[in-house]
Amino acid sequence: MTLRGRRAVVTGGGRGIGRVAALELARAGADVAVAARTRAEVAAVADEARALGVRAIALTADLGRAEDVKALFAEARGFLGGVDILVNGAGIAPTAPFARTTDEQWHSVLAVNLSGVFFATREVLPEMSERGWGRVVNVASIAGKTGMPYIAAYAASKHGVLGLTKVAALEMALRGVTVNAVCPGYVETAMTDTGIANVVAKTGQKAADVRRRLEEASPQKRMVTSEEVAALVLFLCGDQARGITGQALNVDGGTVV
Ligand code: NAP
C-alpha cells in the first residue's frame, strides 16, 4: 500500500498505539503531524518518521480542550497543507468503582476520550468532504462494546466514540470519506502497565498475577501489540478499504465475539 502524498494527523502519537500508527503511516509514505501533551515524546516520534523519508512535525495539545484542538489543526494544516487522514489515538484510562468515580475523573475521561475525538473529527470532515477523499480512524476499545467493572467513565467514553463513528460515517458516505473505529483488547503499552501498577497498589497483588489475569481474559491468552492495532489502522487508511465505513473492528484475540 502507498499513502504517498497523503497527510495525516495522529493524536496520542507520542507513545503506544498512536506512536506505532504514526510510524506505519510514515512508512507507507504519508506526511505526519504527531500530537500529544508530552513534547519530548512527540518530538522523538516525528524524528523517527522523518528518518523514514517523509515530512513530519511534532505538535503539543491537550485533546480535551477545544481551543487546543483548534490551534493544533491550524498548525498541522500550516505544515502539511491539509489533512487527509486523522487517527484519533489520544486516550486515558483511570479506574475506580462506579460509586467512587470522582467528578474530576468522569470529566477528564469524557473530555479526552470522547470530546477530543469529536473536536478533532469536526475539524477535518469539511476539508475531507470537499476534497472527496478522507480517512478517520478512531482508536476505541472493546470497552466501547461491552461492560467491565471499574471503568464507568472509560466505557461510557468508548461507547460514545462508536456512536460518533457511525454518525460521521453516514454523513460522509457519498463524499469519499470513511470513518471507522478499531477496538483493541488489552494492549502491551504504558497505559496497561499503569493499570497493572494501580491494581498492585490498591490490592497488594503481585504484578505478574495481575498481568496473567489480563492475558487470560483473551481466548488467545495474550495481550495484543501496538503493531497489530496499527496494522489495522493502516489498512483502513488505504484505498482498498473504501467500502469499509461506520465499522468498529476488534483486535482482541477473540475476547468479544
Ligand atoms: P498510552 O501508551 O498511554 O498512549 C496514550 C497517548 O495519548 C500518549 O501519546 C498520550 O500522551 C496521549 N494523550 C493522553 N491524554 C492526552 C490529552 N489530554 N491530550 C493529548 N494527548 C493525550 O496508551 P495506549 O495504550 O497506546 O492507548 C492509545 C489508545 O488506545 C487510547 O485511546 C486507549 O483508550 C486505547 N486503548 C488502549 C488499550 C490498552 O490496553 N492499552 C486497549 C484498548 C484501547 P500525553 O500523555 O503526553 O498527552
Side-chain angles (χ1 to χ4, degrees):
M1 180 208 293
T2 179
L3 293 175
R4 201 151 293 287
R6 304 289 187 202
R7 301 150 302 177
V9 173
V10 181
T11 75
R15 58 177 186 267
I17 296 166
R19 172 183 169 273
V20 181
L23 295 175
E24 282 303 311
L25 292 168
R27 200 165 283 120
D31 293 334
V32 288
V34 185
R37 289 167 304 176
T38 309
R39 170 150 294 284
E41 290 187 348
V42 284
V45 177
D47 285 345
E48 286 184 85
R50 262 180 237 112
L52 294 167
V54 299
R55 299 178 67 235
I57 189 170
L59 298 171
T60 52
D62 182 340
L63 263 289
R65 298 165 59 96
E67 61 277 21
D68 270 32
V69 178
K70 214 167 249 327
L72 163 66
F73 280 90
E75 280 187 272
R77 271 190 209 100
F79 177 80
L80 296 169
V83 182
D84 308 296
I85 294 169
L86 168 63
V87 178
N88 282 308
I92 53 173
T95 54
F98 196 113
R100 276 194 261 140
T101 300
T102 64
D103 290 5
E104 197 282 330
Q105 277 170 342
W106 174 260
H107 289 303
S108 62
V109 171
L110 270 288
V112 180
N113 294 9
L114 181 56
S115 300
V117 173
F118 169 69
F119 297 146
T121 306
R122 186 175 60 177
E123 281 288 329
V124 298
L125 290 183
E127 65 172 290
M128 290 178 175
S129 169
E130 202 168 296
R131 222 176 276 125
W133 197 96
R135 295 286 183 268
V136 178
V137 183
N138 298 324
V139 183
S141 167
I142 55 171
K145 294 185 171 179
T146 184
M148 273 178 270
Y150 311 129
I151 57 164
Y154 186 78
S157 72
K158 296 298 188 181
H159 276 72
V161 168
L162 298 195
L164 290 184
T165 302
K166 292 171 195 174
V167 172
L170 292 173
E171 290 189 16
M172 291 291 119
L174 291 174
R175 309 300 312 170
V177 179
T178 69
V179 185
N180 290 290
V182 297
C183 295
Y186 290 112
V187 187
E188 296 274 9
T189 68
M191 178 180 280
T192 302
D193 291 342
T194 303
I196 291 171
N198 287 342
V199 176
V200 169
K202 281 182 187 148
T203 66
Q205 295 172 67
K206 289 201 185 95
D209 293 341
V210 180
R211 178 172 289 277
R212 194 169 321 112
R213 264 212 319 284
L214 299 189
E215 289 166 355
E216 283 174 359
S218 158
Q220 291 188 345
K221 307 292 179 208
R222 67 180 186 95
M223 294 189 200
V224 297
T225 63
S226 292
E227 285 71 16
E228 293 174 84
V229 182
L232 180 57
V233 172
L234 183 68
F235 174 75
L236 291 170
C237 292
D239 282 322
Q240 74 278 33
R242 68 186 177 279
I244 303 172
T245 196
Q247 302 304 305
L249 303 170
N250 299 353
V251 191
D252 68 343
T255 306
V256 174
V257 292

